[in-house]
Amino acid sequence: MPELYDVITMGRIGVDLYPLQTGLPLARVDTFGKFLGGSPTNVAVAAARLGRRTAVVTRTGRDAFGDYLHQQLREFGVDDRWVTPVDAYPTPVTFCEIFPPDDFPLYFYRRPKAPDLEIHTSELDLDAIRSARVFWMTGTGLCAEPSRTATLAALRARDRSGITVFDLDWRPMFWDDGSAGPTARYREALALATVAVGNLDECEIATGEREPYAAARALIAAGVELAVVKQGPEGVLAVHHDGTVADVPPLPVEVVNGLGAGDAFGGALCHGLLAGWETARVMRYANAAGAIVASRLACSPAMPFPYEVEAALTAGAVTSRPTGATP
């Protein structure tokens, strides 16, 4: 029998090089911090911080940055057994600029190709993926082969069992002009998922709908049981196919860096769904986790512990705490 994981995520990984000075363009930044990055990888870290047993399926370069990512995953308590090296491509790096409260440009260096797009179906532990309580995949995993076929194979192995989450994760710069349209790829994955999560731009790519309630209904019509529409400063809307609706406002926060907030939201979403909470409680908890990370500089080391989320919910707001704070 395969080992049972609470959460297995699949997809992007890399090194985040974030400026330690805010309000400056990269040309004027002198110092950077190095962090584990990549959305599904950060979701695994966020869920691990909340006490869940997690693993990630991805690939790095066979290089020093790849070694660093393995080290970080282990330190965060994420199983790295399915993180394998690719000889042909370097581990990706991502830079950002930080202009609070709402401008955080990203610069991805994933050429000629990112190793995490070299995931092959033959390398997947489908028994483990099938048995995980939550499986989390992203839109980026559908942008190129062999990752696209492997991601769909993982979804089919799940056969809509347990909680199967499609993070819409629309990154247009990752899609080649010659590839089939993303909407068709997204539709194929939605039919195999039970939960869809995305912001308004991502929902529009997936469904053609931008109005939150219309987008949620379209996601459910495409096959999922729970549609989660993130609306930024307007909060989050969750609609279940049984008719349950939760429209939850954001938690007040002084934003330092909005990058990574969605990944904290994702890890907390997994945690709440696994706990069997009612939908509104899950959304409030996930909102609080995301707001905490938005109040900090980095992504992965900023993921909150349970006591921090509970404190923010009790206070009704987020008070800043240094990135990487521990209990």
Side-chain angles (χ1 to χ4, degrees), residues 1-5 8 53-58 70 73-74 78-85 123 125 128:
M1 290 290 292
E3 294 184 66
L4 181 63
Y5 290 84
I8 294 179
R53 184 165 190 252
T54 71
V56 61
V57 178
T58 189
H70 277 279
L73 287 167
R74 292 166 187 157
V78 178
D79 195 321
D80 65 343
R81 69 180 64 192
W82 297 304
V83 182
T84 58
E123 299 164 341
D125 186 338

Side-chain angles (χ1 to χ4, degrees), residues 87-173:
D87 291 324
Y89 304 119
T91 300
V93 297
T94 302
F95 290 87
C96 78
E97 293 176 317
I98 301 175
F99 297 103
D102 57 4
D103 187 18
F104 309 102
L106 282 168
Y107 302 87
F108 293 98
Y109 290 80
R110 292 169 58 86
R111 298 293 181 184
K113 186 179 185 181
D116 55 57
L117 294 175
E118 280 293 301
I119 300 172
H120 293 260
T121 303
S122 60
E123 299 164 341
L124 297 178
D125 186 338
L126 292 177
D127 287 337
I129 288 170
R130 188 180 296 111
S131 65
R133 298 176 69 195
V134 176
F135 177 65
W136 180 288
M137 47 72 64
T138 77
T140 294
L142 303 174
C143 76
E145 292 291 3
S147 173
R148 179 186 302 127
T149 295
T151 301
L152 292 171
L155 288 173
R156 293 190 184 101
R158 293 283 292 178
D159 194 24
R160 295 175 53 84
S161 61
I163 301 166
T164 303
V165 185
F166 180 9
D167 176 3
L168 302 181
D169 184 43
W170 167 239
R171 304 284 182 176
M173 70 287 292

Side-chain angles (χ1 to χ4, degrees), residues 2-297:
E3 294 184 66
L4 181 63
Y5 290 84
D6 292 317
V7 180
I8 294 179
T9 70
M10 179 175 176
R12 200 163 74 246
I13 195 171
V15 176
D16 287 344
L17 296 173
Y18 283 6
L20 300 182
Q21 301 152 282
T22 63
L24 291 177
L26 284 180
R28 294 177 56 197
V29 173
D30 295 321
T31 56
F32 295 83
K34 181 179 66 176
F35 307 103
L36 170 73
S39 179
T41 303
N42 282 337
V43 169
V45 171
R49 277 276 169 95
L50 297 173
R52 298 298 177 176
R53 184 165 190 252
T54 71
V56 61
V57 178
T58 189
R59 306 195 74 183
T60 71
R62 194 184 295 275
D63 51 29
F65 276 154
D67 295 340
Y68 166 75
L69 295 176
H70 277 279
Q71 171 192 320
Q72 288 292 286
L73 287 167
R74 292 166 187 157
E75 288 183 6
F76 287 127
V78 178
D79 195 321
D80 65 343
R81 69 180 64 192
W82 297 304
V83 182
T84 58
V86 176
D87 291 324
Y89 304 119
T91 300
V93 297
T94 302
F95 290 87
C96 78
E97 293 176 317
I98 301 175
F99 297 103
D102 57 4
D103 187 18
F104 309 102
L106 282 168
Y107 302 87
F108 293 98
Y109 290 80
R110 292 169 58 86
R111 298 293 181 184
K113 186 179 185 181
D116 55 57
L117 294 175
E118 280 293 301
I119 300 172
H120 293 260
T121 303
S122 60
E123 299 164 341
L124 297 178
D125 186 338
L126 292 177
D127 287 337
I129 288 170
R130 188 180 296 111
S131 65
R133 298 176 69 195
V134 176
F135 177 65
W136 180 288
M137 47 72 64
T138 77
T140 294
L142 303 174
C143 76
E145 292 291 3
S147 173
R148 179 186 302 127
T149 295
T151 301
L152 292 171
L155 288 173
R156 293 190 184 101
R158 293 283 292 178
D159 194 24
R160 295 175 53 84
S161 61
I163 301 166
T164 303
V165 185
F166 180 9
D167 176 3
L168 302 181
D169 184 43
W170 167 239
R171 304 284 182 176
M173 70 287 292
F174 297 162
W175 290 74
D176 292 334
D177 292 341
S179 66
T183 300
R185 306 297 187 188
Y186 275 43
R187 288 280 181 173
E188 190 173 2
L190 284 169
L192 299 167
T194 64
V195 180
V197 183
N199 61 32
L200 294 175
D201 291 337
E202 292 165 342
C203 289
E204 186 173 19
I205 288 294
T207 69
E209 299 285 355
R210 188 172 182 84
E211 193 280 323
Y213 281 88
R217 288 192 296 267
L219 289 168
I220 290 171
V224 303
E225 297 172 7
L226 177 66
V228 180
V229 182
K230 296 184 287 188
Q231 305 174 74
E234 301 302 317
V236 61
L237 170 68
V239 178
H240 197 276
H241 73 154
D242 67 5
T244 302
V245 175
D247 198 344
V248 179
L251 209 62
V253 59
E254 183 177 342
V255 174
V256 174
N257 184 0
L259 302 172
D263 303 333
F265 181 99
L269 172 68
C270 294
H271 178 66
L273 292 174
L274 286 171
W277 296 340
E278 51 91 16
T279 303
R281 181 183 177 187
V282 176
M283 295 306 126
R284 288 193 297 269
Y285 194 93
N287 258 355
I292 289 168
V293 172
S295 75
R296 300 171 176 176
L297 177 65

